[in-house]
């Protein structure tokens, strides 16, 4: 997976670190920020109701990911600003997979 190759991984880890800083301020984990950010997007005008379905095989992760963390409009704006200013390194899938995807 290209995004997890050494040079790309180090670049992409910067995004995780920025979200981890917000999570620390909120007293939660970066994963909880991610799940609750998706829920918060549903509050934006014109957005559909979003129901995140995090995958895991670990009961502790299920409990962790189900914790409701209130993200204010300011928190959501902070995340949006982080994402707008960030360029992900590496494609999501290897080139051999991309040829089989629509659009």
């Amino acid at each position: 997976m290209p995004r997890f190759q050494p040079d790309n991984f180090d670049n992409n880890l910067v995004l995780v670190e920025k979200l981890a800083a917000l999570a620390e301020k909120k007293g939660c984990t970066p994963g909880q920020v991610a799940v609750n950010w998706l829920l918060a997007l549903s509050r934006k005008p014109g957005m559909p109701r979003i129901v995140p379905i995090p995958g895991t095989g670990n009961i502790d992760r299920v409990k962790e990911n189900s914790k409701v963390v209130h993200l204010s409009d300011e928190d959501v704006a902070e995340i949006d600003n982080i994402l707008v200013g960030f360029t992900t390194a590496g494609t999501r899938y290897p080139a051999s997979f991309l040829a089989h995807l629509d659009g």
Side-chain angles (χ1 to χ4, degrees):
M1 295 301 191
R3 290 186 180 166
F4 294 96
Q5 298 309 305
D7 289 341
N8 293 337
F9 184 81
D10 291 341
N11 179 73
N12 295 332
L13 196 56
V14 172
L15 176 61
V16 176
E17 291 166 353
K18 289 180 180 187
L19 292 176
L22 175 62
E24 187 173 333
K25 287 193 295 190
K26 300 295 290 180
C28 64
T29 68
Q32 290 167 332
V33 167
V35 169
N36 285 277
W37 172 73
L38 290 170
L39 291 169
L41 288 178
S42 296
R43 295 194 315 248
K44 289 186 172 187
M47 290 295 289
R49 170 67 87 187
I50 299 170
V51 180
I53 305 173
T56 184
N58 180 313
I59 192 67
D60 291 332
R61 289 283 181 247
V62 172
K63 291 175 184 176
E64 176 185 318
N65 289 333
S66 63
K67 180 181 176 189
V68 175
V69 175
H70 174 71
L71 296 178
S72 67
D73 291 341
E74 292 79 18
D75 295 328
V76 173
E78 181 177 344
I79 294 167
D80 290 346
N81 286 332
I82 290 169
L83 293 173
V84 165
F86 187 81
T87 302
T88 305
T91 58
R92 184 173 185 174
Y93 302 110
S96 60
F97 289 17
L98 295 174
H100 302 286
L101 297 176
D102 294 332

